[in-house]
Amino acid sequence: MTSGREYGPLVAAIDQGTTSTRFMIFSCTTGEAIHEATHQIPFSPDEPQQGWSQVNAMKLLETTRECMERSVEKCGNLGINTEQIKAIGVTNQRETTVVWDRNTGKPLYDAIVWLDVRTSGTVESLIQLTESQNKDALKHICGLPIHPYFSAVKLRWLLDNCEDVQRAVRENRCMFGTVDSWLIWNLTGGVNGGVHVTDVTNASRTMLMNIKTLQWDDTLKAFFSIPDGVIMPEIRSSSEVYGHMVCACLCTCLSST
């Protein structure tokens, strides 16, 4: 039987991707991955129409929790003490966009996956609104072209087409974020004090962050007509403690994304 003391302090990582969720544990001393303790769950996004790709955000959360629970069980079988896990990092599919209800914690619509192109028409309309009618008109602020790939365009589509989102915005209960924000908010308490944050690298892929100030930009929000009723995550650095886990199987701090 493997002893946890052979590894010393441990760190873990949530790897939430487009087609699977995985939980991994590493030795802080050697950087070695403890492969026997890894757990991964594959899944497939839904494609309700050609060019659309979406997934129930609850599936992303539930597979994350299940991977963590199964990894903890594997550690027990290996004789590894999970109390040695000092921090959990998050890596995630980037531009995928989640909106959820601050009061109930439930998604207001399926997460729209980064590769989804339903917003092609929205993109063309937005480009026409720029003074130069050029897809690169906002690059000097956000560093990105106006393109279906990025979260602001997906959020604009949701605001235009989803009544549940529109109602939540009017009632100041519509939370917005990329997958890291959704997971961290839930894993740190959700409706009971969950931390609503993102890191600068995820924020940089939304088209709503100013690449010079590293904060949400009022000019960009105005261009995309993002109302104040959309609750944005706080932008933080990529390596710090964001909050502490509220989880029966594992309680530790959540750090870098």
Side-chain angles (χ1 to χ4, degrees):
M1 179 177 290
T2 303
S3 168
R5 286 177 295 180
E6 294 180 13
Y7 295 100
L10 306 171
V11 293
I14 297 166
D15 177 8
Q16 203 306 294
T18 310
T19 57
S20 76
T21 303
R22 177 171 56 167
F23 190 75
M24 303 180 69
I25 299 173
F26 301 84
S27 165
C28 289
T29 305
T30 66
E32 175 188 0
I34 307 173
H35 296 292
E36 299 91 339
T38 295
H39 194 80
Q40 185 169 13
I41 301 174
F43 61 84
S44 298
D46 299 321
E47 298 179 354
Q49 297 185 37
Q50 185 175 1
W52 291 32
S53 182
Q54 60 195 58
V55 61
N56 188 331
M58 291 305 298
K59 180 184 290 186
L60 307 182
L61 177 61
E62 289 163 1
T63 54
T64 297
R65 285 175 168 158
E66 184 176 352
C67 282
M68 293 172 64
E69 290 169 1
R70 298 292 83 80
S71 285
V72 168
E73 289 177 3
K74 290 179 179 181
C75 284
N77 294 335
L78 292 166
I80 298 171
N81 181 4
T82 55
E83 290 183 1
Q84 294 192 70
I85 298 176
K86 306 304 180 182
I88 300 173
V90 182
T91 182
N92 56 282
Q93 48 177 311
R94 290 279 162 170
E95 298 80 4
T96 297
T97 300
V98 189
V99 287
W100 68 97
D101 190 310
R102 175 172 63 179
N103 296 337
T104 67
K106 302 298 183 184
L108 295 164
Y109 192 85
D110 280 355
I112 300 180
V113 178
W114 57 271
L115 52 80
D116 184 287
V117 294
R118 76 185 67 188
T119 57
S120 296
T122 302
V123 165
E124 291 304 317
S125 297
L126 288 167
I127 290 172
Q128 294 305 309
L129 292 176
T130 67
E131 185 175 345
S132 60
Q133 297 187 348
N134 188 310
K135 65 182 177 62
D136 293 328
L138 303 176
K139 263 193 171 182
H140 65 290
I141 306 176
C142 65
L144 302 170
I146 303 171
H147 189 279
Y149 202 80
F150 304 112
S151 307
V153 181
K154 302 179 194 300
L155 177 57
R156 184 65 258 160
W157 186 93
L158 288 163
L159 291 165
D160 290 338
N161 293 280
C162 181
E163 290 184 4
D164 287 343
V165 173
Q166 295 165 0
R167 188 178 305 111
V169 169
R170 290 195 298 271
E171 297 172 1
N172 295 307
R173 52 184 175 82
C174 177
M175 302 189 77
F176 156 78
T178 43
V179 171
D180 58 316
S181 298
W182 165 247
L183 294 179
I184 292 171
W185 185 78
N186 278 284
L187 295 174
T188 56
V191 296
N192 297 310
V195 180
H196 191 35
V197 296
T198 189
D199 88 312
V200 68
T201 67
N202 277 286
S204 73
R205 304 298 287 175
T206 64
M207 290 201 76
L208 295 171
M209 189 194 79
N210 186 306
I211 56 174
K212 295 179 181 177
T213 67
L214 306 185
Q215 297 298 322
W216 303 124
D217 187 90
D218 289 340
T219 299
L220 295 171
K221 289 179 67 177
F223 177 80
F224 289 103
S225 299
I226 307 301
D228 291 339
V230 174
I231 304 167
M232 309 281 286
E234 179 186 359
I235 300 175
R236 306 271 285 272
S237 75
S238 296
S239 183
E240 63 176 276
V241 174
Y242 301 138
H244 288 80
M245 291 276 296
V246 178
C247 177
C249 72
L250 193 63
C251 292
T252 189
C253 59
L254 276 163
S255 56
S256 63
T257 59

